[in-house]
Amino acid sequence: MAGERDFCVTDFGARGGGPAPEHPAFQRAIDACVRAGGGRVRVPAGRYLCGGLTLGSGLELRLEAGAVIRASTRVEDYAHLPLPVLFYARDSERITLRGPGRVDGQATGQVPWPRPKFRRRTLYFDSCRSVRVEEAAFENSDSWTLHFFRCERVEVRKVEILNDPEHINSDGIDPDSSRDVIISDCHIRAGDDCVVLKSNSPEHPCENIVVTGCRLETTCSALKLGTES
């Protein structure tokens, strides 16, 4: 899908391990890849603190072994996006996020009451097509982990999601007004629903969703059909 073009985030200024957020360097690599017509953006081993990233068509984001992306906890690191989310895409196609590296949302423990207005999702794709998330690990998401809104042809395979069971609203996977979705061979532990189908866009109901071969752990709902429906 990604062709032969290869873009490494360290070639665009990312260092790994430092205290400063590195999403500007990541975004430069992503933008160069999209401008070139697609390719692979590689994240080598290291610990990278990042705010919101905008992905685009024809892109494979490859988290190599030993690579950890930590979601920033600062609101200003997401101000350039329409909502606070680590991985964002809209009206794009042929996007892949692949491991074996992992993503740490840095959110554990009980959520205070009243609930804070600033809650970070890990991935939000809006109106995207031909999307794959596979063989990556996600942990400690602050809110919904993988949220697909009005998307088509989505595959989530061999993904591990390990959220804090006491951290409310940390759903695993939310196919929302989406169609032709396959979720297979995943291990999901959530502080809310593990897999939940919903329709926040009533004119776009969920259609043709397959969930198979998954291990689901939660004190809420393992598989839920409808909240906003």
Side-chain angles (χ1 to χ4, degrees), residues 11 40 42 51 133 164 174 187 225:
D11 293 336
R40 179 185 298 109
R42 292 192 301 107
V133 181
D164 186 338
D174 295 62
H187 175 201
L225 305 180

Side-chain angles (χ1 to χ4, degrees), residues 84-159:
V85 59
L86 183 59
F87 303 112
Y88 173 79
R90 178 169 180 164
D91 293 322
S92 299
E93 59 186 5
R94 297 176 292 110
I95 304 175
T96 297
L97 196 161
R98 178 177 284 122
R102 61 189 178 94
V103 177
D104 183 359
Q106 301 203 102
T108 59
Q110 294 184 348
V111 178
W113 184 263
R115 297 177 192 173
K117 293 181 179 179
F118 174 58
R119 300 288 303 277
R120 308 176 309 282
R121 302 181 196 186
T122 298
L123 180 149
Y124 177 78
F125 286 177
D126 180 352
S127 305
C128 293
R129 298 158 299 283
S130 299
V131 172
R132 296 177 67 92
V133 181
E134 56 188 17
E135 299 180 355
F138 302 86
E139 61 187 21
N140 302 325
S141 186
D142 185 32
S143 185
W144 299 357
T145 309
L146 305 180
H147 183 189
F148 303 100
F149 179 57
R150 294 187 303 193
C151 292
E152 298 182 10
R153 302 186 300 279
V154 176
E155 296 184 35
V156 182
R157 299 184 184 273
K158 297 182 180 179
V159 163

Side-chain angles (χ1 to χ4, degrees), residues 36-75:
R40 179 185 298 109
V41 174
R42 292 192 301 107
V43 183
R47 295 174 62 83
Y48 305 87
L49 181 65
C50 286
L53 297 168
T54 300
L55 308 185
S57 295
L59 172 79
E60 175 186 329
L61 183 62
R62 169 81 174 188
L63 308 183
E64 297 183 344
V68 181
I69 297 179
R70 297 179 298 133
S72 171
T73 59
R74 305 190 314 173
V75 63

Side-chain angles (χ1 to χ4, degrees), residues 21-50:
E22 302 201 71
H23 54 278
F26 273 61
Q27 195 63 59
R28 287 193 291 270
I30 290 167
D31 292 346
C33 179
V34 174
R35 283 196 304 268
R40 179 185 298 109
V41 174
R42 292 192 301 107
V43 183
R47 295 174 62 83
Y48 305 87
L49 181 65
C50 286

